C-alpha cells in the first residue's frame, strides 16, 4: 500500500514463490508527515477493501481484520502520557492560583501603605477608574515581565532538554526518561506555540486578577478618611 502526497492510495499484489497473494499477518502503513491518523486509517481501509474484492476467496473480508493506528496499538502508553499531561496542567493551575493570592496579599499591603497617596489622588480629581487602573496596570507589567522571563527560560530548557538529561545521567546518575518504557530514544523537545500562548495568557490573567480586589479597594476609598490616615 502506497499513500501519496494527495492522500490517495495505490495497491500492488505481491507474489512469493509463485503464490499470489503472499501470506502476511501484519502490514505497516506509513503516511506522509502531517497527514492525520484518521485519514491514514481511512485510506488503508479503502485499500484493503479493494484488495479483498480482488481476492474474495483468498483473504479475509474488510470487516474481519483490524486496522489500527499507532495510537490504538500503544493505547496504554498514550493514556499514561495524557494523564501526565493532565497532571502538569493541574500543577500549573495550582501554581497560578497561588501566585494570584500572593499578588493579592502584596497589593493589599501596598494599598494600605499608600492610603494617604491614594487620598491625595482622589482629592485632586482622580476618578475611581483611574485609581484602579494604576494597580491593574502595575499587575499587568509584573505579569508581562514574569511571563517573558518564564518563556525565555522555558525555551532554553526545552530546546536543550536532552543535553540536560544526559548531563544529569553522567553527573548525578539521574535518569528520568527511559526509551524502553516510552519507545522513543529522545525526549520530545518541540514547542507548541498555541499551548505556550495559552500558558502565557493564563499567567498574565491570573496576575491581573490577583490585583483586582486591592484595586477596587483603592478606588472606593473615601478621600477624606484616606487623607487622615496615619
Amino acid at each position: 500500500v502506497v499513500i501519496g502526497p494527495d492522500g490517495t492510495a495505490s495497491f500492488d499484489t505481491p507474489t512469493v514463490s509463485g503464490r499470489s497473494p503472499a501470506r502476511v499477518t501484519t502490514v505497516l502503513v506509513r503516511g506522509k508527515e502531517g497527514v492525520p491518523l484518521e485519514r491514514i486509517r481511512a485510506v488503508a481501509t479503502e485499500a484493503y477493501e479493494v484488495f479483498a474484492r480482488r481476492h474474495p476467496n483468498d483473504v479475509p473480508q474488510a470487516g474481519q481484520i483490524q486496522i489500527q493506528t499507532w495510537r490504538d496499538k500503544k493505547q496504554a502508553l498514550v493514556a499514561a502520557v495524557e494523564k501526565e499531561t493532565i497532571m502538569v496542567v493541574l500543577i500549573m493551575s495550582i501554581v497560578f492560583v497561588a501566585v494570584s493570592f500572593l499578588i493579592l496579599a502584596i497589593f493589599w499591603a501596598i494599598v494600605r501603605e499608600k492610603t494617604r497617596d491614594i487620598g491625595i489622588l482622589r482629592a485632586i480629581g482622580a476618578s475611581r477608574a483611574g485609581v484602579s487602573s494604576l494597580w491593574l496596570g502595575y499587575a499587568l507589567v509584573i505579569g508581562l515581565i514574569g511571563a517573558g522571563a518564564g518563556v525565555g527560560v522555558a525555551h532554553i530548557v526545552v530546546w536543550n532538554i536532552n543535553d540536560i538529561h544526559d548531563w544529569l545521567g553522567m553527573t548525578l546518575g539521574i535518569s528520568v526518561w527511559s526509551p524502553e518504557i516510552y519507545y522513543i530514544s529522545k525526549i520530545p523537545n518541540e514547542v507548541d506555540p498555541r499551548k505556550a500562548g495559552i500558558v502565557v495568557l493564563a499567567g498574565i490573567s491570573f496576575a491581573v486578577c490577583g490585583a483586582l480586589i486591592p484595586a477596587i479597594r483603592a478606588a472606593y476609598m473615601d478621600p477624606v478618611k484616606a487623607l487622615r490616615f496615619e
Side-chain angles (χ1 to χ4, degrees), residues 190-214:
E190 296 181 359
V191 177
D192 187 337
R194 184 179 65 85
K195 293 181 180 179
I198 292 174
V199 173
V200 169
L201 290 176
I204 296 173
S205 300
F206 273 91
V208 174
C209 289
L212 186 60
I213 295 177

Side-chain angles (χ1 to χ4, degrees), residues 63-77:
Q64 298 175 327
I65 66 168
Q66 289 185 342
I67 298 180
Q68 297 178 315
T69 65
W70 69 268
R71 291 181 66 92
D72 300 328
K73 193 72 173 177
K74 304 295 183 182
Q75 185 58 42
L77 174 62

Side-chain angles (χ1 to χ4, degrees), residues 82-161:
E82 289 177 346
K83 288 180 180 178
E84 291 177 1
T85 303
I86 294 174
M87 288 299 298
V88 171
V89 172
L90 290 176
I91 292 172
M92 290 297 298
S93 300
I94 294 172
V95 171
F96 284 151
V97 172
V99 169
S100 183
F101 275 103
L102 181 62
I103 291 177
L104 187 153
I106 293 173
F107 274 54
W108 188 274
I110 294 175
V111 168
R112 183 173 178 81
E113 286 291 326
K114 299 295 182 181
T115 298
R116 285 180 60 86
D117 297 330
I118 295 171
I120 292 172
L121 289 176
R122 294 285 287 121
I124 63 177
S127 64
R128 288 192 174 96
V131 172
S132 63
S133 65
L134 289 174
W135 304 103
L136 294 178
Y138 187 21
L140 178 62
V141 171
I142 293 176
L144 289 173
I145 294 174
V151 168
V153 173
H155 275 72
I156 293 174
V157 172
V158 170
W159 288 336
N160 299 280
I161 188 66

Side-chain angles (χ1 to χ4, degrees), residues 19 52 57 64 70 73 78 103 134 186 189 207 214 220 228:
R19 297 175 60 191
N57 299 319
Q64 298 175 327
W70 69 268
K73 193 72 173 177
V78 172
I103 291 177
L134 289 174
K186 295 292 184 180
N189 60 347
Y220 281 87
R228 295 173 58 188

